[in-house]
Amino acid sequence: MIRRISHFLCNYENIVPLFAGACAIIFLAGILMLPLSYQQNQLYPKTIDRNSTLDPYDRGGPPFTQVTIHAQYPENSPTAGLVTSYLTPFSFYLAQTTQHLGTTIVAHPGGIIDEILYNTRGLDTVVEPTILLIAFAIASFLYRKVG
Amino acid sequence: MITVTSIGGIPYYILEFGDELVYFTPYTITLFLLALTFTVLVIISRPEKQVDIAFGGDAYRAKDISISEMRFRRFMAIACGLASMGAMVTGDIFNFTLFTAMVGITNVGIVAAVKSPHVQDAAYQYGLVALAATVPLFAGAAVYAAATGSLSMIELMNGTLPTVPLIAKAMLVIGVIGEGMAPFYAAKAEMFRAPGAPYVIMCSLSSLLIFLRVVEVVMLG
């Protein structure tokens, strides 16, 4: 029996269906276990002001007056909330004329600083582009090798 | 009755990155040093050259590794070592999943550089698994955040938060299994046929390390 299982596993093309089956079982179990408890006291509360032009990233507050940002360890990020956005003339123009500046956060220079993303959880923001960099390095290496 | 308050031991030192604490307990520091030692070995060592010997004759064939391939695989192995070091000591659930995803993608990179169709087929299948595994991995972290309201492992360790649902732990574990391919060494054996010893062993070591760490993470909450 073990011999048969290991014979099945040694063909690497069987691994993807096997993993997919395992994932399906886990997710089905998740659906069966459903109502999961939801903790009302969330660490990073979010209030969305649909009328703000900086919409999903608007943490509010005039510049250089500290806005309260909820953090797990506020003593570790003393400067959080001081500058929640910096707008270059172009992005200021975009914010004045359109409703979509918040959705173009990566597409133009000078923008919105999400204090939770970039200040209290800054290490995540560093690791994410590193993953992207690695992915692009692999893709470009393979592309140059084939071409 | 013995009560265990902390799985990995009392942290010796806590490094603060805002909300993300990096903590060194006896457990994490051991794993960290293991990853660090192996990364240094990868940096200073040269790749082995495989020799195929035909039985019953004098014929043998040495596989040659081009400089560019060697450089790329060394870069990927070092990145993999750094990612595993990060995953070993981080004190944040979401950060742990990010480092685990990075370990998965660098593992694909280490084997994808090999110029053997057979190895590349295996790497492709493994890449599909690593890609699919990010869904349960990050879903697990999301359920952690929703059910406990926090992502910090130190807070989970203190026991002040509500218990983590079993399904979040299961999702996290199956995500790590997919990224590290830990029980699927039978499939990884295809990749080990790739020449270049220290770099290929990095795949295996990093998946072992993230698996050892996820055991601690799952037992925290």
Side-chain angles (χ1 to χ4, degrees):
Chain A
M1 188 63 194
I2 291 173
R3 197 175 61 90
R4 220 184 285 165
I5 292 173
S6 102
H7 188 70
F8 177 77
L9 281 178
C10 82
N11 185 2
Y12 54 77
E13 283 170 1
N14 289 333
I15 294 300
V16 176
L18 195 70
F19 184 75
C23 279
I25 290 170
I26 293 273
F27 281 122
L28 275 179
I31 291 171
L32 289 180
M33 284 166 125
L34 255 182
L36 290 173
S37 62
Y38 179 75
Q39 168 75 321
Q40 292 297 327
N41 182 20
Q42 284 285 314
L43 175 56
Y44 304 117
K46 189 116 192 167
T47 50
I48 291 181
D49 177 14
R50 285 287 171 217
N51 293 320
S52 165
T53 50
L54 310 179
D55 179 13
Y57 291 100
D58 191 5
R59 295 274 169 199
F64 306 116
T65 57
Q66 201 152 12
V67 185
T68 318
I69 305 282
H70 287 277
Q72 184 88 60
Y73 307 104
E75 67 277 10
N76 289 348
S77 20
T79 55
L82 270 177
V83 179
T84 53
S85 62
Y86 66 103
L87 300 181
T88 57
F90 176 62
S91 42
F92 187 69
Y93 166 76
L94 275 182
Q96 295 286 314
T97 49
T98 73
Q99 279 283 323
H100 311 296
L101 188 79
T103 57
T104 60
I105 185 166
V106 289
H108 61 95
I112 306 140
I113 299 176
D114 192 50
E115 293 287 343
I116 285 169
L117 272 183
Y118 298 137
N119 197 327
T120 62
R121 299 189 62 84
L123 193 58
D124 281 350
T125 321
V126 178
V127 181
E128 279 164 25
T130 316
I131 297 174
L132 263 182
L133 169 80
I134 298 284
F136 279 121
I138 296 170
S140 60
F141 182 83
L142 288 178
Y143 179 75
R144 278 172 55 200
K145 200 168 73 170
V146 171
Chain B
M1 185 70 188
I2 302 164
T3 51
V4 180
T5 46
S6 141
I7 303 296
I10 310 297
Y12 292 130
Y13 181 65
I14 295 181
L15 192 65
E16 292 143 353
F17 290 101
D19 273 5
E20 292 166 354
L21 306 180
V22 167
Y23 67 91
F24 295 91
T25 59
Y27 188 67
T28 61
I29 207 168
T30 312
L31 299 178
F32 177 80
L33 286 179
L34 201 59
L36 180 69
T37 314
F38 203 80
T39 311
V40 171
L41 283 180
V42 159
I43 292 172
I44 60 175
S45 65
R46 292 181 169 198
E48 56 131 24
K49 285 186 178 170
Q50 271 186 343
V51 178
D52 287 353
I53 298 176
F55 275 101
D58 288 341
Y60 65 91
R61 188 173 68 215
K63 287 181 185 166
D64 200 30
I65 304 164
S66 68
I67 289 287
S68 72
E69 183 189 322
M70 194 273 279
R71 275 192 189 144
F72 183 76
R73 294 176 70 194
R74 187 172 59 193
F75 164 60
M76 279 299 152
I78 293 168
C80 188
L82 292 175
S84 5
M85 275 187 254
M88 287 315 103
V89 291
T90 184
D92 188 272
I93 301 284
F94 185 65
N95 214 332
F96 173 73
T97 58
L98 278 178
F99 277 122
T100 308
M102 193 169 154
V103 166
I105 203 166
T106 47
N107 278 356
V108 175
I110 289 171
V111 283
V114 180
K115 279 184 182 166
S116 155
H118 190 63
V119 174
Q120 287 199 328
D121 276 352
Y124 176 68
Q125 300 288 333
Y126 170 50
L128 285 181
V129 172
L131 186 71
T134 52
V135 177
L137 189 67
F138 288 99
V143 179
Y144 260 87
T148 65
S150 174
L151 284 166
S152 168
M153 289 184 199
I154 302 271
E155 299 300 310
L156 288 171
M157 217 188 284
N158 288 341
T160 48
L161 297 172
T163 50
V164 181
L166 191 63
I167 192 70
K169 296 177 178 180
M171 279 176 176
L172 204 66
V173 169
I174 198 156
V176 171
I177 286 175
E179 292 292 344
M181 295 276 281
F184 300 141
Y185 283 122
K188 268 190 162 180
E190 304 299 324
M191 302 197 222
F192 292 148
R193 290 187 190 172
Y199 312 135
V200 180
I201 303 302
M202 195 75 209
C203 298
S204 165
L205 184 83
S206 60
S207 61
L208 181 70
L209 287 175
I210 55 172
F211 213 75
L212 286 174
R213 185 70 211 279
V214 82
V215 170
E216 192 211 348
V217 172
V218 161
M219 288 167 99
L220 283 179

